[in-house]
Amino acid sequence: MRRRMIAGNWKMNGGRASLKEVERLRAEFADTPCEVVICPPAILIPAMVEALAGSSIMVGGQDCHPDVSGAYTGDLSAPMLVEAGATHVILGHSERRALHSEGNSLVCAKASSAHKAGLAAIICVGETAIEREEGRTLAVIGRQLRGSVPAGASPENCIIAYEPVWAIGSGRTPTPPQIAAVHAFIRGELVQRFHPLGGGFRLLYGGSVKPLNARDIFSVPDVDGALVGGASLTAAEFGPIIAAACL
Ligand code: PGA
């Protein structure tokens, strides 16, 4: 049985005032049967950890550098995230792949570093609109999986998020059969590569998950939860998504 996971990706949004949203979630979901992780801008991690002390809601980063320390102005390492109180880190998000030119081998190195530091990595994969139109969705995702997921990955330290680039922030989502086809493909790849552990990895869907479509998405086979962007910023929207997955 895979435990469902709902992860919130605040991206470059929110400040100290937003911690009241987290406090509301904390009161509402004191003890959820699934895992809830919120990934705020890194500077908010310690305050969010403090705001959630004693609850089962966890806090994660949105990126880390592959090295532990060094002359990398502006970067953060996995052990630094751990020291701040993070338990997870999102890696290979399409915004970082596109806007920071991150390739699969860099994402893989970051994931290995995260694992070494004791963080669980949420590794993102997904096709662009053009790649889907050209019928290359599964080829692209296969390449991303093979290149970005390190050999040391396990169901404990690695979660895969399928996020079609064209669905992120657009209000458009794939149909349930389209999500099912990609998740079945990802499952097959993991089963093949990580035998006998492949069946244990959690697969999240991400891209315009909202309270109104969450239930339909969670009923798709092999969808073990969601990576939520915009709708994770307020308790009013994130709460019902968590409830749809966990209650
Ligand atoms: P969205 O973002 O829910 O705002 O579409 C998802 C993501 O980028 O992780």
Side-chain angles (χ1 to χ4, degrees):
M1 227 353 227
R2 295 185 298 267
R3 198 162 167 219
R4 280 188 163 177
M5 167 179 273
I6 303 296
N9 174 10
W10 280 19
K11 309 190 181 188
M12 200 173 74
N13 295 296
R16 282 195 164 256
S18 319
L19 295 175
K20 67 178 188 309
E21 302 296 332
V22 168
E23 275 151 19
R24 279 190 202 133
L25 290 172
R26 178 206 166 119
E28 206 179 332
F29 300 98
D31 195 21
T32 62
C34 59
E35 287 184 7
V36 180
V37 189
I38 304 172
C39 304
I43 199 164
L44 283 178
I45 292 175
M48 190 177 283
V49 168
E50 205 178 303
L52 289 169
S55 96
S56 59
I57 302 178
M58 297 171 283
V59 180
Q62 299 176 9
D63 178 45
C64 70
H65 193 278
D67 285 356
V68 162
S69 62
Y72 304 110
T73 303
D75 279 320
L76 288 170
S77 71
M80 289 173 184
L81 290 176
V82 172
E83 192 171 75
T87 51
H88 292 70
V89 62
I90 298 168
L91 294 173
H93 189 281
S94 67
E95 285 149 20
R96 295 210 60 90
R97 289 180 186 265
L99 305 173
H100 295 264
S101 308
E102 293 195 6
N104 292 323
S105 58
L106 178 59
V107 176
C108 189
K110 290 179 173 197
S112 292
S113 182
H115 292 160
K116 217 173 281 168
L119 292 170
I122 301 171
I123 300 178
C124 305
V125 297
E127 83 286 1
T128 62
I130 289 172
E131 288 162 345
R132 176 164 282 273
E133 275 160 31
E134 293 177 351
R136 295 193 284 128
T137 299
L138 299 185
V140 166
I141 289 169
R143 207 174 318 120
Q144 289 174 333
L145 278 177
R146 286 188 296 276
S148 308
V149 179
S154 73
E156 284 69 46
N157 68 18
C158 190
I159 297 106
I160 306 295
Y162 167 52
E163 298 208 308
V165 179
W166 51 274
I168 294 173
S170 67
R172 292 169 61 210
T173 51
T175 62
Q178 284 174 325
I179 297 175
V182 175
H183 278 233
F185 171 77
I186 295 172
R187 176 68 64 209
E189 293 283 302
L190 295 172
V191 164
Q192 209 173 8
R193 181 168 167 204
F194 293 98
H195 183 77
L197 300 175
F201 285 81
R202 264 93 53 90
L203 310 186
L204 311 183
Y205 167 78
S208 296
V209 177
K210 306 286 175 203
L212 273 178
N213 61 20
R215 255 175 225 288
D216 284 347
I217 289 169
F218 297 143
S219 64
V220 174
D222 261 316
V223 170
D224 302 307
L227 178 55
V228 184
S232 71
L233 291 169
T234 62
E237 282 210 290
F238 202 37
I241 295 173
I242 299 171
C246 311
L247 299 184

